[in-house]
Amino acid sequence: MKTYEQVLEELRERKDEKFRLFNERIVNVPSGSSIGVRTPLLRAYAKEFLKQEDFSFDALFSFPNEVYEVRLLKCLCVGYEKVPYARLVSLIGSCVPILDGWAVCDLFCSTLKVFKKHREEFLPEIQKYLDRGTEFSQRFALILLLGCYMEKSCLPVIFRALDIVDTRPYYTYMGAAWLLAEVLVKFYEDGVQYLKTGMLDARTKAKAITKARESFRLTQEQKNFLKSLKNG
């Protein structure tokens, strides 16, 4: 398999310096800790990287994690590789500890659409990452719920997660607010009921209301009612 140095060289061939300067501010990584590869190019690179005859996740995960694109490459390869479910769960367990920013976390979750077919099976893992209580283990669980469990039948699962999540870390707080805001937009009555009775803290509920009121999918009447709940 390609070495770490070869991977860095190939990623540098795809760099966009203006994008690097912009993206480092957006994804909140230290200046100079990324190469500047746009996400569509990195996704395409990950898919090609997996085609190597001697590809090995063990080798890939031995690469250092200092570079943003390398961390994301590991997660994308896990998301794109077709492996048995149990192996996928194990690989995800190797990825979650390297999630140290919203961008790698959320892009990883967006690549795991396969879990729409494994919702029930993966619920214990969702609970595990919530219980772990770290900022990005929790955000991972919340954003995966948003991407793969946003159906009416899954609302009890979502509400239970919101009831127990620790929203003191900023990116967990924002993930919980985003998840609840999406519930309010897609399942308004259920979301309003949760605002009234759910155990999520008031600050995060208020942020969810703010985000939901920005949506074009709610009526002005609905937005006004949400505002009354926020101010009440």
Side-chain angles (χ1 to χ4, degrees):
M1 195 179 88
K2 293 174 183 176
T3 66
Y4 177 64
E5 290 72 22
Q6 288 173 319
V7 169
L8 290 182
E9 183 59 32
E10 291 181 346
L11 292 176
R12 291 186 185 113
E13 293 171 359
R14 294 160 170 80
K15 72 178 181 180
D16 180 328
E17 182 61 15
K18 288 184 178 179
F19 174 73
R20 181 187 71 80
L21 295 172
F22 166 78
N23 195 55
E24 285 183 348
R25 294 192 299 270
I26 297 299
V27 303
N28 194 30
V29 297
S31 177
S33 67
S34 76
I35 294 171
V37 182
R38 292 179 180 271
T39 302
L41 289 179
L42 191 59
R43 287 187 180 277
Y45 182 81
K47 291 175 182 178
E48 288 300 314
F49 194 76
L50 286 167
K51 295 178 182 178
Q52 299 173 87
E53 285 188 14
D54 56 349
F55 172 79
S56 162
F57 275 111
D58 288 340
L60 175 60
F61 277 99
S62 73
F63 290 177
N65 290 314
E66 287 85 359
V67 177
Y68 165 80
E69 283 86 355
V70 173
R71 297 193 298 277
L72 184 51
L73 175 64
K74 292 178 181 182
C75 294
L76 293 177
C77 285
V78 169
Y80 287 135
E81 181 68 316
K82 293 178 173 59
V83 294
Y85 172 77
R87 174 62 170 156
L88 179 57
V89 171
S90 175
L91 290 171
I92 288 172
S94 297
C95 285
V96 171
I98 69 173
L99 304 179
D100 61 349
W102 69 264
V104 176
C105 177
D106 295 7
L107 289 168
F108 183 32
C109 289
S110 73
T111 312
L112 294 171
K113 299 302 185 185
V114 66
F115 281 111
K116 290 184 178 180
K117 301 177 182 178
H118 298 282
R119 289 192 183 107
E120 287 295 325
E121 290 174 274
F122 200 68
L123 285 178
E125 298 297 314
I126 293 279
Q127 187 67 47
K128 179 180 76 175
Y129 291 121
L130 289 170
D131 290 344
R132 188 172 294 178
T134 66
E135 185 168 20
F136 288 103
S137 71
Q138 291 186 109
R139 186 178 174 98
F140 170 76
L142 295 169
I143 301 305
L144 196 62
L145 286 172
L146 191 154
C148 296
Y149 291 78
M150 190 54 65
E151 295 187 3
K152 191 173 181 65
S153 62
C154 297
L155 289 179
V157 172
I158 291 173
F159 292 149
R160 284 197 298 273
L162 291 172
D163 278 345
I164 67 171
V165 69
D166 176 4
T167 58
R168 287 174 294 178
Y170 177 77
Y171 287 107
T172 306
Y173 155 66
M174 291 299 290
W178 183 14
L179 178 59
L180 181 52
E182 193 65 15
V183 171
L184 285 165
V185 169
K186 291 192 173 182
F187 308 103
Y188 177 76
E189 297 296 337
D190 300 275
V192 167
Q193 183 62 30
Y194 182 80
L195 286 173
K196 294 177 178 179
T197 63
M199 296 171 61
L200 186 65
D201 62 281
R203 179 183 73 129
T204 311
K205 286 181 178 179
K207 186 65 173 180
I209 288 172
T210 297
K211 294 174 74 67
R213 293 183 71 245
E214 294 171 353
S215 173
F216 294 112
R217 293 173 286 174
L218 293 181
T219 67
Q220 192 59 49
E221 181 181 5
Q222 289 171 325
K223 292 179 182 183
N224 290 341
F225 182 72
L226 289 177
K227 185 176 181 180
S228 74
L229 291 179
K230 181 179 179 181
N231 297 334

